[in-house]
Amino acid sequence: GHLFKKFNDIYSWENGEYSVDYRYDSYVAQAQNRYGLLKRNGMLNYAALALNPQGLDYLGSQIDINKISDKNLISNLCWNTRAIEWLEIIESRDPDLLDFDSLVNNPEPGAIDIIKRNLNKITKDYQWRTLSFNISAVSLMRDHFEKISWDDMSQNHSNEAIKLLKENPEKINWNLLSANENYNAIQMLKENPEKINYYYLSQNASAIDLLEDYVKNFAYKNSNIDFKILSTNRAIFTLDKEAMQKQINEKTTSCTM
């Protein structure tokens, strides 16, 4: 059953105002706040739930997206990759309800479509920088070439971004490209080894081959690798598949005896 199925039996509130299982579901909750769901000590926060891609079904049972106007909740929805249909509904009501500072971070193509329909809301350098980093906004940035932040585009790991960078090599920030995990970005670095920044490369999980070669050949003579950063690189460890298989076999054997 549900983890909190017996929540009320274990944690019953002395105050009748809180005689609700907040963590199970709240279809029985009374309309004692603007969303119709009781809250106690911030245990359940709708604005925070709006950030959760898995929380929209539940949230939709508690709020009316055709009426909601809470700025914090809508701002968080603008980040949510599964909330595009809701955001379109809000847009049709009043685009000014949307938080475009948040929406520019959303990598869903539908979010970029909303932005394209409301380009008059994109007026800040921060928004254009964020769009330059957004994997779904490269075509939009092509149409607004003069607004591109090449530092952020150099970190954009979409294939479309790498294609744009190849078309404009003089604009690449090679330091930041060294941290880009796109396979084609790694190929560009291999073709231009003199432009690699090994501090940024140290954190790049897709560049482990480059890092291994560098450590073997140069690191202890003239080290540019940051070994502290390298220690955080998720690709520096490999699975010992033979040992794992041996362990599985031993477990299987012991269970059948």
Side-chain angles (χ1 to χ4, degrees):
H2 195 283
L3 178 62
F4 301 113
K5 185 176 181 180
K6 296 184 178 180
F7 182 85
N8 276 341
D9 295 337
I10 303 172
Y11 303 103
S12 58
W13 309 115
E14 292 182 5
N15 185 336
E17 179 185 359
Y18 299 117
S19 58
V20 174
D21 179 343
Y22 293 88
R23 299 198 275 182
Y24 180 43
D25 69 37
S26 296
Y27 296 108
V28 296
Q30 302 298 312
Q32 295 191 16
N33 62 48
R34 58 188 166 182
Y35 304 127
L37 177 63
L38 292 172
K39 293 184 285 186
R40 184 177 190 269
N41 296 330
M43 187 177 291
L44 183 59
N45 182 299
Y46 273 166
L49 189 60
L51 286 167
N52 190 332
Q54 306 305 320
L56 294 188
D57 289 341
Y58 181 81
L59 187 61
S61 72
Q62 303 295 328
I63 67 170
D64 186 346
I65 198 63
N66 292 291
K67 296 180 180 179
I68 191 69
S69 59
D70 182 88
K71 289 184 178 180
N72 290 329
L73 190 148
I74 293 175
S75 177
N76 285 350
L77 280 177
C78 287
W79 289 83
N80 195 317
T81 55
R82 293 187 63 197
I84 302 305
E85 289 185 13
W86 286 15
L87 296 174
E88 289 172 342
I89 291 171
I90 295 170
E91 177 196 13
S92 68
R93 290 169 50 209
D94 181 0
D96 287 333
L97 290 171
L98 297 173
D99 181 356
F100 285 88
D101 285 353
S102 297
L103 191 62
V104 292
N105 293 277
N106 195 316
E108 277 297 307
I112 304 305
D113 290 338
I114 293 174
I115 290 170
K116 287 179 179 179
R117 294 193 292 268
N118 296 275
L119 276 176
N120 61 314
K121 308 294 185 185
I122 308 300
T123 59
K124 307 170 188 174
D125 288 342
Y126 157 80
Q127 294 170 325
W128 289 111
R129 291 197 304 271
T130 305
L131 285 169
S132 297
F133 183 76
N134 190 315
I135 59 173
S136 296
V138 177
S139 63
L140 172 62
M141 297 312 301
R142 279 184 178 275
D143 293 338
H144 299 273
F145 192 85
E146 74 287 355
K147 299 288 189 180
I148 293 175
S149 163
W150 291 98
D151 287 352
D152 291 283
M153 188 63 71
S154 296
Q155 299 174 79
N156 189 319
H157 60 266
S158 70
N159 289 329
E160 292 77 11
I162 302 303
K163 181 179 179 182
L164 180 60
L165 292 170
K166 286 183 175 180
E167 294 169 4
N168 299 273
E170 74 285 357
K171 297 186 180 296
I172 295 174
N173 182 324
W174 287 92
N175 292 334
L176 296 175
L177 187 71
S178 297
N180 194 316
E181 295 190 4
N182 183 287
Y183 171 82
N184 292 310
I186 301 301
Q187 298 309 304
M188 292 172 67
L189 294 171
K190 287 181 177 180
E191 294 166 6
N192 298 273
E194 74 286 355
K195 296 180 179 179
I196 294 175
N197 182 311
Y198 281 92
Y199 176 86
Y200 288 99
L201 194 74
S202 299
Q203 62 187 291
N204 192 329
S206 296
I208 198 66
D209 291 343
L210 276 174
L211 290 166
E212 285 181 348
D213 290 342
Y214 186 79
V215 169
K216 289 175 182 176
N217 297 320
F218 305 108
Y220 299 105
K221 298 177 184 177
N222 182 26
S223 178
N224 290 316
I225 286 182
D226 187 312
F227 284 92
K228 184 176 181 180
I229 297 296
L230 182 63
S231 298
T232 69
N233 190 319
R234 65 182 185 276
I236 63 174
F237 297 103
T238 57
L239 297 175
D240 188 337
K241 294 182 179 179
E242 289 185 8
M244 291 171 65
Q245 187 60 55
K246 182 180 178 182
Q247 211 170 30
I248 292 171
N249 292 341
E250 289 174 352
K251 277 285 185 183
T252 302
T253 301
S254 62
C255 288
T256 55
M257 291 177 66

